[in-house]
Amino acid sequence: MALMRPFNLLSHPGLAHQRRVFHRWWTSGAGVVVGCSLAWCGQQWQTAETLRLQGAHSQLQSEWLARTQQAKDAAQQQLRQRLQVEQDLHLQRIATHQQAWMAVHERMQDMAQEGLRLSRLNADADHVAWHGEFSRFEAMAAARQSLSEQWGQDLSLKDMAMGPASQVEFVWQTTWPALLGARLTQAEPALKVQP
C-alpha cells in the first residue's frame, strides 16, 4: 500500500500561489509608496530651494537698485555742488567787478575835487579808457602817476591835447582784468594837487 501524505491545509498549492501574488502586490505597493514619498520629498526640497533662490535674487536686485539709486543721488549731489561752486565763483567775480567799479568811481570823484573833469568812459572786456581834462599838465601827470601807483599797474597816456586857457585834454587807458585784480579798496589816497 502506498503511503499517503498527510493532508495539510497550510501548505496547499493554491495557498502558496496566493502568498506569492500577495507578496508581489505588497512589495509593489510598498515600492510605489516609497517612490511617491521620495518624489514628494524631492519636489518639496526643489520648491524650497527655488523659493530660497528667488529670495536671494530679490535681495540682490533690491541691493543693486539701492546702490544704483545711491550712485544716481551722489552724481546729482556732485552736479549740484559743482553748479553751486560755479555760481559762487561767478557771484564773487561780479562782486569783485562791482567793488572795483565802486573804487574807481570813488577815486575819480576824489580826483574831481582836485580839478579832474571826465567827459567819457570807454570799457570793454579787456580795457578801460578815461577821456577828460585837467586845468594844468602837472596836475594831470601827478594824478596819472598817483593812480598808477595806487592800482599797481601802468595807467598809460594814450592821447593828450592842449585846450584853451592851458587846459590839458587826455585819454588814459589800462587793462581791465589787471585792474580787477588790484587792491583798489585798500589803496592810499592820492596826493592832493593844487590847481
Side-chain angles (χ1 to χ4, degrees), residues 37-103:
S37 297
L38 289 175
W40 182 81
C41 288
Q43 185 181 14
Q44 293 301 316
W45 177 83
Q46 188 176 13
T47 302
E49 190 67 17
T50 302
L51 289 175
R52 187 186 68 78
L53 290 174
Q54 285 176 347
H57 179 265
S58 297
Q59 183 179 0
L60 289 173
Q61 189 172 15
S62 64
E63 288 176 4
W64 178 78
L65 288 174
R67 287 182 183 161
T68 302
Q69 187 62 38
Q70 286 175 351
K72 205 181 289 184
D73 293 343
Q76 289 176 352
Q77 180 67 20
Q78 286 178 349
L79 178 63
R80 281 193 298 270
Q81 287 175 348
R82 193 187 72 200
L83 289 175
Q84 184 66 38
V85 167
E86 289 175 3
Q87 242 179 5
D88 291 345
L89 288 174
H90 183 67
L91 290 175
Q92 286 175 358
R93 284 193 296 268
I94 290 173
T96 302
H97 192 271
Q98 186 178 13
Q99 289 172 356
W101 271 114
M102 291 299 294

Side-chain angles (χ1 to χ4, degrees), residues 8 10 26 42 46 58 75 118 127 152 161 168:
N8 187 356
L10 295 177
W26 184 84
Q46 188 176 13
S58 297
L118 286 178
H127 296 89
V168 180

Side-chain angles (χ1 to χ4, degrees), residues 148-166:
S148 293
E149 289 173 3
Q150 178 181 354
W151 293 340
Q153 64 184 44
D154 185 36
L155 186 64
S156 61
L157 180 63
K158 286 301 195 183
D159 192 16
M160 184 180 75
M162 298 299 287
S166 72

Side-chain angles (χ1 to χ4, degrees), residues 95-97 99-101 103-104 147-154 174-187:
T96 302
H97 192 271
Q99 289 172 356
W101 271 114
V104 168
L147 287 173
S148 293
E149 289 173 3
Q150 178 181 354
W151 293 340
Q153 64 184 44
D154 185 36
T174 189
T175 306
W176 181 243
L179 186 60
L180 282 176
R183 295 184 178 186
L184 298 175
T185 56
Q186 297 178 0

